[in-house]
Amino acid sequence: MAKDNFHRKIDYLRISVTDRCNLRCIYCMPEEGITLLNHDEILTYEEIIKISRAAVKAGLTRIRITGGEPLVRKDITELISEIAAIPGVRDLSLTTNGIYLENMAEELYSSGLRRINISLDTLNPERYLKITRGGDLNRVLKGIDRAIEVGFNPVKINTVAIKGVVEDELERFKELVYVKPVHVRFIEKMDITNSDSQGFYSCKEIMERFSKTTEIEETEGPVGAGPARYIKLKRAKGTIGFIGLYSEHFCDSCNRLRLTADGKLRTCLFAGEEFDLKTFIRNGASQEEIVDFIEKALKKKPENFKEALKSKGERTMRQIGG
Ligand code: SAM
Ligand code: SF4
């Protein structure tokens, strides 16, 4: 089992498979002027699999596929089935904006994926169009239904809490967990490069509003590797969760490393420091050497995001892999 220098068990790797995306969410990407990675800068599937095998040996047995938008990368289900087949992978999941999910849910499930997170910040079509700069809410809703239908469990909805949006949609999100077996998690908007200045709304405020209007109880929440707190609403099919970087002690239980699409290991979302695993691999590193590389990198994980910010980088969520 891998532990960092602050006695945290590190068992979770988030792999970004692309920096490309079919949306342009206001808190994640600028509207235009994006520099994309060239094809040869991006890790090949063979390289990602090699790293995943080594990561599992280093104790990172939970893997999430993310991006950019992972479903825009060609043959993504082939990568998923190869990772799912690596001995020792205890958990494999994917984060998507859901735009291509209706068509791909079945194939993703057949490739061995069982858990899926879908990002959805509003249930209002006009707002969705604005926040994502062009997305069609209906496609995401159909994608969610299809994911449930083909058997994904749990299906989690990631909702970035945006002031001016989330306050008057709490009742609609509540309704969603009453009628569908989904787990809505409100996420505090993080101040990452290129994220817009649109308002921050804290998990604490959301929780307070819920407790005023609804009978709730704290609960364990669905299977997963993240640092969320969950509440159950009486008779609901799903749960509501909170991921509060700023209002919870999020960093104490952080268990993750990130691999960017261009093969850099990052020990924290907020730290600028990157470990160039791609060059190491392309120079012919053996599996033992890659395991050693990962183990050494995770020892550099900062204690918390405030420490990490001292070396803040210039990459956006889409580039780092959210
Ligand atoms: N494109 C996929 C999606 O949107 O689900 C996967 C990548 S996206 C970068 C992963 C997650 O990061 C999404 O749930 C998104 O809402 C979240 N995210 C992006 N920028 C963020 C920010 N500034 N603060 C909080 N969450 C953010
Ligand atoms: Fe794309 Fe996801 Fe970023 Fe939105 S949050 S722009 S869907 S990568």
Side-chain angles (χ1 to χ4, degrees):
M1 190 213 322
K3 286 216 169 176
D4 72 359
N5 284 341
F6 303 97
H7 312 293
R8 290 173 297 201
K9 184 176 154 197
I10 310 299
D11 65 355
Y12 183 33
L13 179 66
R14 294 175 75 105
I15 301 177
S16 172
V17 294
T18 180
D19 63 336
R20 282 156 210 264
C21 188
N22 46 356
L23 297 179
R24 292 281 177 278
C25 300
I26 49 171
Y27 49 74
C28 180
M29 285 212 202
E31 192 161 10
E32 44 195 40
I34 298 164
T35 323
L36 293 172
L37 293 166
N38 289 324
H39 185 69
D40 61 343
E41 291 176 281
I42 292 189
L43 290 176
T44 63
Y45 282 169
E46 204 183 318
E47 288 167 336
I48 294 176
I49 290 157
K50 200 181 257 184
I51 293 170
S52 304
R53 284 186 197 285
V56 171
K57 285 237 157 16
L60 287 90
T61 53
R62 295 163 174 260
I63 293 179
R64 174 172 298 276
I65 307 296
T66 181
E69 172 50 39
L71 301 190
V72 304
R73 183 148 173 189
K74 196 163 172 273
D75 301 327
I76 187 69
T77 48
E78 282 175 23
L79 176 72
I80 288 169
S81 46
E82 297 234 27
I83 295 180
I86 297 174
V89 171
R90 277 194 301 143
D91 180 41
L92 179 61
S93 53
L94 175 123
T95 301
T96 171
N97 59 33
I99 293 286
Y100 292 157
L101 193 54
E102 188 188 10
N103 287 339
M104 292 182 70
E106 196 165 354
E107 199 184 332
L108 286 165
Y109 193 85
S110 306
S111 69
L113 192 72
R114 292 292 176 268
R115 296 206 300 114
I116 199 156
N117 288 15
I118 301 151
S119 303
L120 181 59
D121 307 330
T122 171
L123 294 166
N124 172 310
E126 286 83 43
R127 278 182 177 163
Y128 186 80
L129 186 82
K130 267 195 192 153
I131 292 172
T132 58
R133 298 197 183 98
D136 177 357
L137 174 66
N138 206 27
R139 291 183 69 171
V140 186
L141 296 177
K142 283 186 179 158
I144 293 172
D145 286 342
R146 189 74 190 123
I148 296 169
E149 215 172 87
V150 303
F152 280 102
N153 186 15
V155 172
K156 295 183 186 173
I157 310 287
N158 288 352
T159 304
V160 174
I162 303 171
K163 200 168 178 62
V165 174
V166 73
E167 303 98 304
D168 53 58
E169 291 200 31
L170 289 184
E171 287 302 311
R172 294 181 78 174
F173 278 108
K174 212 164 91 180
E175 244 174 75
L176 194 69
V177 304
Y178 273 111
V179 297
K180 294 186 201 292
V182 295
H183 305 276
V184 173
R185 291 116 44 85
F186 292 101
I187 301 173
E188 285 180 2
K189 192 161 89 65
M190 293 181 272
D191 182 17
I192 310 259
T193 313
N194 262 336
S195 67
D196 78 319
S197 56
Q198 193 137 353
F200 171 85
Y201 200 76
S202 77
C203 281
K204 200 162 161 268
E205 286 169 275
I206 302 176
M207 184 91 106
E208 279 167 9
R209 287 187 60 146
F210 267 119
S211 52
K212 275 188 197 142
T213 58
T214 323
E215 225 182 315
I216 55 170
E217 50 185 290
E218 289 232 10
T219 176
E220 281 267 295
V223 187
R229 277 177 69 192
Y230 287 91
I231 55 171
K232 179 130 184 69
L233 312 178
K234 284 246 161 104
R235 291 177 295 280
K237 290 187 177 169
T239 58
I240 303 257
F242 302 91
I243 304 181
L245 171 67
Y246 301 103
S247 61
E248 306 273 342
H249 295 287
F250 187 91
C251 303
D252 295 352
S253 57
C254 184
N255 55 357
R256 61 194 59 181
L257 288 188
R258 291 184 147 82
L259 178 67
T260 65
D262 59 347
K264 310 282 168 39
L265 266 187
R266 289 181 69 121
T267 57
C268 173
L269 198 49
F270 294 91
E273 194 176 19
E274 296 186 332
F275 301 87
D276 187 357
L277 195 43
K278 182 181 68 186
T279 305
F280 193 60
I281 287 178
R282 291 189 182 174
N283 286 340
S286 67
Q287 193 184 63
E288 288 68 38
E289 286 168 328
I290 304 171
V291 174
D292 187 55
F293 186 105
I294 295 170
E295 286 171 346
K296 286 197 174 118
L298 71 84
K299 293 287 182 198
K300 300 268 177 66
K301 197 168 160 64
E303 186 171 10
N304 52 47
F305 76 93
K306 288 183 183 138
E307 281 302 310
L309 281 170
K310 292 179 182 165
S311 66
K312 190 176 180 193
E314 288 304 315
R315 301 236 246 178
T316 63
M317 277 292 250
R318 145 195 89 89
Q319 292 166 318
I320 300 165

